[in-house]
């Protein structure tokens, strides 16, 4: 029996009284309340920054669905005064976007803007992230290194 069906063979149809019915009903209600059921799925776009210089950094983006996308960036959170050109990217295909005209030794904020490939509506905004351009030679900095010792071996 599926969620919400009446039991059969016991006279008039009546709601199912087993706990599974209520669990199913609660699961659907939770999914709706938390936004898990949407008319359009939010794509996953893996982003890796590389090739940092004094004036540029490259974002390698890998979407899980075909998208038209670009990146916007600036020196203040939520304020983007520059952007890359939009590009149509096929699903599971990496694309490179170079953020140029950056100041040396400066923190920048950036975010992805995207829409489904072929769409003509507004671009949606991804989450904001940040990076630091190349520091001066000899300037101190801190970095982290993580290893995986594979204890199961």
């Amino acid at each position: 029996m599926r969620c919400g069906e009446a039991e059969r063979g016991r006279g008039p149809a009546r709601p199912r009284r087993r706990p599974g019915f209520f669990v199913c009903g609660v699961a659907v209600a939770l999914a709706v309340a938390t936004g898990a059921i949407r008319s359009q799925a939010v794509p996953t776009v893996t982003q890796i920054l590389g090739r940092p210089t004094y004036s540029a950094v490259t974002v390698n983006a890998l979407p899980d669905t075909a998208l038209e996308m670009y990146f916007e960036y600036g020196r203040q959170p939520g304020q983007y005064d520059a952007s890359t050109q939009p590009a149509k990217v096929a699903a599971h295909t990496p694309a490179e976007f170079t953020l140029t005209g950056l100041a040396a030794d400066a923190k920048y904020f950036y975010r992805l803007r995207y829409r489904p490939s072929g769409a003509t509506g507004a671009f949606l905004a991804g989450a904001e992230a940040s990076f630091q351009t190349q520091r001066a030679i000899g300037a101190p900095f801190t970095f982290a290194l993580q290893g995986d010792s594979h204890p199961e071996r």
Side-chain angles (χ1 to χ4, degrees):
M1 194 166 19
R2 291 184 295 240
C3 182
E5 284 185 344
E7 291 185 35
R8 297 174 200 230
R10 294 191 174 186
R14 57 181 181 252
R16 186 173 144 189
R17 303 224 187 272
R18 292 192 291 242
F21 172 75
F22 297 107
V23 171
C24 182
V26 170
V28 171
L30 284 174
V32 171
T34 61
I37 296 176
R38 296 186 177 135
S39 60
Q40 182 178 3
V42 176
T44 298
V45 180
T46 302
Q47 302 170 36
I48 300 174
L49 277 65
R51 296 197 302 247
T53 68
Y54 291 111
S55 62
V57 68
T58 300
V59 181
N60 186 297
L62 180 68
D64 67 347
T65 185
L67 296 175
E68 183 175 4
M69 58 187 184
Y70 68 93
F71 287 87
E72 57 187 5
Y73 51 100
R75 298 282 304 270
Q76 299 297 320
Q79 297 179 11
Y80 311 104
D81 54 7
S83 66
T84 64
Q85 291 296 313
K88 292 181 180 179
V89 183
H92 309 291
T93 303
E96 290 185 349
F97 296 84
T98 303
L99 285 53
T100 60
L102 308 178
D105 195 16
K107 184 172 186 173
Y108 279 86
F109 298 87
Y110 71 100
R111 69 179 178 181
L112 170 70
R113 299 298 305 260
Y114 65 92
R115 66 183 175 195
S117 191
T120 57
F123 284 85
L124 301 171
E128 181 175 83
S130 65
F131 65 89
Q132 173 80 31
T133 54
Q134 187 174 5
R135 291 172 171 82
I137 295 174
F141 64 94
T142 303
F143 68 96
L145 181 64
Q146 179 179 350
D148 185 355
S149 63
H150 297 285
E152 70 278 3
R153 290 186 187 176

